[in-house]
Amino acid sequence: MHSQELKYFSLDSFFAANPYKNLVKPLEGHGKYYSLPALNDPRVDKLPYSIKILLESCIRNCDNFQVTKEDVEKIIDWENTAPQQVEIAFKPARVILQDFTGVPAVVDLAAMRDAMKRLGGDPNVINPMIPVDLVIDHSVQVDVARAANALEANMKHEFDRNKERFGFLKWGATAFKNMLVVPPGSGIVHQVNLEYLARVVFSNDGFLYPDSLVGTDSHTTMIDGLGVAGWGVGGIEAEAAMLGQPMSMVLPEVVGFKLSGKLRTGVTATDLVLTCTQMLRKHGVVGKFVEFYGKGMQELSLADRATIANMSPEYGATMGFFPVDHVSLQYLRMTGREEKKVEMIESYLRANKMFIDYNEPETEKVYSSYLELDLDSVQPCVSGPKRPHDRVNLKDMKEDWHNCLDSKVGFKGFGVPKDEQSAIAKFKFEGKPAELRHGDVVIAAITSCTNTSNPSVMLGAGLVAKKATELGLQVKPWIKTSLAPGSGVVTKYLKQSGLTEYLDKQGFSLVGYGCTTCIGNSGEIHEDVASAIADNDMIAAAVLSGNRNFEGRIHPLTRANYLASPPLVVAYALAGTVDIDFDTEPIGVGKSGKEVFLRDIWPSSEEVAKVVEKAVVPDMFRSTYKTITKENKMWNNLSAPSGALYAWDPESTYVHDPPFFKSMTESPPGVHGVKDAYCILNFGDSITTDHISPAGNINKDSPAARYLMERGVEKKDFNSYGSRRGNDEIMARGTFANIRIVNKFLKGEVGPKTIHIPSGEKLSVFDAAKKYQDEGHDTIILAGAEYGSGSSRDWAAKGPYLQGVKAVIAKSFERIHRSNLVGMGIIPLCFKSGEDAESLGLTGYERFTIDIPSDIKDIKPGQDVVVKTDKGKSFTCTLRFDTQVELTYFENGGILHYVIRQLLQSK
């Protein structure tokens, strides 16, 4: 499909123009649907279930205009076409946003309306054309912990801090059609999606079709555990999908992951997902779907499946998919879905051969490659100290920790000299003597969508707390403990089980519903502890039930960060250190004077299962979500503007009119190369979106802090970068502001600085970028492998764009981040295999010219381009515009510019 042919089309027209109308069949009592069996093609029976969802969408949306018969045929012939990396068009059934990415999406939509009006179009045509679910979930800063009123206090702080941002989203809920906004305090977007928003099968205007979605957070994949195809995309791509544009994607290969056996007693879903993550990263699944199958599937609860699906970004896959079966239907009933709805879902999926029934013979599916895991072989484990795929078996943890202390600074090393490893930092905590050693835990958080949706591990944590309390163990008072469930349902079943009081006694009090520690919203560590760490250069540890532990993300003062199951989070908090062998060393001494070991407080799988069966009931889900948008008093009392166009406040430091469309013209600017650009940053491998995108707290010495103080904002009111994503001025200043970023120009120094090459000055990255822009110079970035890995963040592309970056030359890119760069008109280039900046002798002090033909007709996706330097060197790179559509976005200056021009043409 040629990108130049794409037009803006209403969804209603697809049915009238569809060449596959003959496949429409009735489903008695439920409606009609596009029947895949009616294709009468044996290739369809062998397709992975995840690919069938793509096929159905393409057939249903086919108009031979946006989605063509060629797209459909490519998917049917998936076994032969997928290895060729062919392009298809895909339209998801809906889009899901969370507020950190939802705010900039709504800001862009509001700015697009302004641009449409300025260019003579109707601003009201800028509306989502498919359902958009926006969950305000990333808003919990753990200011108050270990207190009975922590939830109420933190919620009040959040509304006080974010009143303007919340009001803007409330405006968006009324200004735009097809947009549902779930208020703050309801839960984590992915858990709310799983428990409440997921349709599994849509019934729309008499048509039935599979639920599918894209979301602006990489852990959107959690919904794959329920058999709903969903994955993370950039906010820019999501906005285009909302506006009716087909997503151009490479038809993925599918890795078949066979599960057999059963988890041993005491082994958790977290142990399983960390094992799968390590296996899949080793296998190599970037850009691929992973589909789970086999007899072992019947031994996994839906929550266990969702745990594995959630961490798809950590193992690198686009999706980790579990097809719908009887376990999925049981979960829908347990979470309070109506029986009539569940019956419709089963009837449709059975009729369309998209349901697994283990009692019936199954046509063997064909996969691109295969993996197998016997669940009985999974061992208790953690991951860390700096990456989620660095798994460590629990029995090896003490040895691994000491190896990390010994090893040079790196992903598995801290470079602490032997004679300093036993150092003790003595300090006073609230007037009483206290001590810290390397590896001591200062943050222990039960948090993150990965685990807080899973009753087994949440109730397991409660049982550990209960047994420890009864034996007389107590978490040290200076450890910042917190409990942030993914929804209010968790609170209800913890209370029903009688375990809440024991978690409270160990300091794991409810602090809020939403992302907390895992996203960097840890809040401040007690000042006495913070001083002891900083003054003595201690390697302090955080243990969290999260999915991300990149350095600098959890807290600036915790250099060692370990991912663990919720029960293990409680155990490590009780031990007070990660420098422990749980098999041979006691956690502490009980009230009887007897040593207490982990085995003394660890519940069996049977114990956990009994509590789950007794405590988790459907009415909890029904009552929690029945009034989710109605009985939030703080939200209901919040004032919000009205009208189709947003009245921007130029004094606002939260919501700012962005510059992206200010100079936009009706005609595209055309394609372009880069001439005599300076290198603003010179990176090695594994630069994540945490390094690039503004995240966490705003450092008092940063350009963003300077901007806020110049506008009268005090330090206590800085809030987090995430809360200010609607303000481009702050986000541009916070780009590349991570305190742990490693830039080769600084020769070993760590931090958010770079060298302004013409002057030789060492400046903050933003100040250097501004200086280059003021001088009229373009800039590029040199990088290693896996550039842009981590959470999907549109500001990791928008920020560099605003800083004047024109191209990134890397060994490889993370899938979503490369797409986001394209969406902002930044050129992604890959070094040829076996080459990188070092092997080519590049220092970064050169000036770079990238030769790209000036006519789009002369450019092909993935073609070679030549990069020349002013030092006489030249080398060949691969142009990572992967599809013709992406080239058209580049020609237009970005994906949203393209959408506006298409809307203008249709006026």
Side-chain angles (χ1 to χ4, degrees), residues 303-323:
D304 291 347
R305 297 175 182 189
T307 300
I308 297 169
N310 176 282
M311 283 192 74
S312 295
E314 281 67 45
Y315 46 81
T318 303
M319 281 205 302
F321 188 76
F322 290 80

Side-chain angles (χ1 to χ4, degrees), residues 97 102-114 116 122-134 167-181 239 242-243 641-648 903:
L97 310 170
V103 169
V106 178
V107 165
D108 286 348
L109 290 173
M112 289 172 74
R113 279 191 171 179
D114 292 343
M116 181 63 75
D122 178 5
N124 290 304
V125 301
I126 303 287
N127 263 313
M129 293 181 64
I130 56 177
V132 175
D133 301 319
L134 197 163
F168 174 69
L169 290 175
K170 197 171 182 180
W171 166 80
T174 57
F176 297 104
K177 298 175 184 175
N178 290 330
M179 185 178 286
L180 169 70
V181 175
E239 291 166 40
M242 286 183 227
L243 293 163
S642 58
L645 298 177
Y646 187 71
W648 305 99
L903 286 165

Side-chain angles (χ1 to χ4, degrees), residues 19-72:
Y20 292 97
K21 284 187 291 187
N22 64 307
L23 298 181
V24 175
K25 305 294 179 186
L27 186 63
E28 188 175 349
H30 300 295
K32 52 192 175 181
Y33 69 105
Y34 283 90
S35 170
L36 299 185
L39 285 165
N40 291 318
D41 192 320
R43 294 176 297 177
V44 174
D45 294 334
K46 295 162 66 177
L47 290 176
Y49 289 93
S50 51
I51 297 299
K52 281 187 176 182
I53 292 175
L54 301 184
L55 175 60
E56 189 283 336
S57 174
C58 271
I59 287 173
R60 176 168 37 89
N61 290 299
C62 184
D63 62 352
N64 270 332
F65 206 59
Q66 287 190 323
V67 183
T68 69
K69 290 181 74 172
E70 287 78 13
D71 292 317
V72 173

